[in-house]
Amino acid sequence: MGIVNIDDELHEQLRRASKASCRSINAQAAFWIRIGMLGELNPGLTFQELAARELKAAGVGKPDLAAAAA
């Protein structure tokens, strides 16, 4: 594990995004790094497609909204 040097403005954006996403600053940075890496490796996929692929790989399925509303 290493330390990544980032500028103050990017750190502030991480702090704000982490609050909005209910993640730690480190978890938010890791998320952005992972999505960025996946985007570079899969340039034909959208953010939504990348996120859906990652959720599926983690075993998260699409909820049955009709059953949840009942």
Side-chain angles (χ1 to χ4, degrees):
M1 181 153 108
I3 296 176
V4 177
N5 248 343
I6 60 172
D7 66 44
D8 291 341
E9 178 57 30
L10 182 55
H11 188 271
E12 180 61 20
Q13 293 297 319
L14 270 169
R15 187 186 67 74
R16 291 176 185 178
S18 70
K19 265 185 152 178
S21 301
C22 298
R23 297 182 178 114
S24 69
I25 292 173
N26 286 343
Q28 184 66 41
F31 174 74
W32 281 355
I33 290 168
R34 182 166 181 82
I35 289 296
M37 181 184 69
L38 290 170
E40 285 187 351
L41 294 172
N42 301 281
L45 297 179
T46 66
F47 169 79
Q48 288 80 10
E49 291 166 332
L50 291 171
R53 192 176 82 168
E54 290 298 295
L55 288 170
K56 184 177 180 181
V60 178
K62 186 175 180 181
D64 182 358
L65 298 178

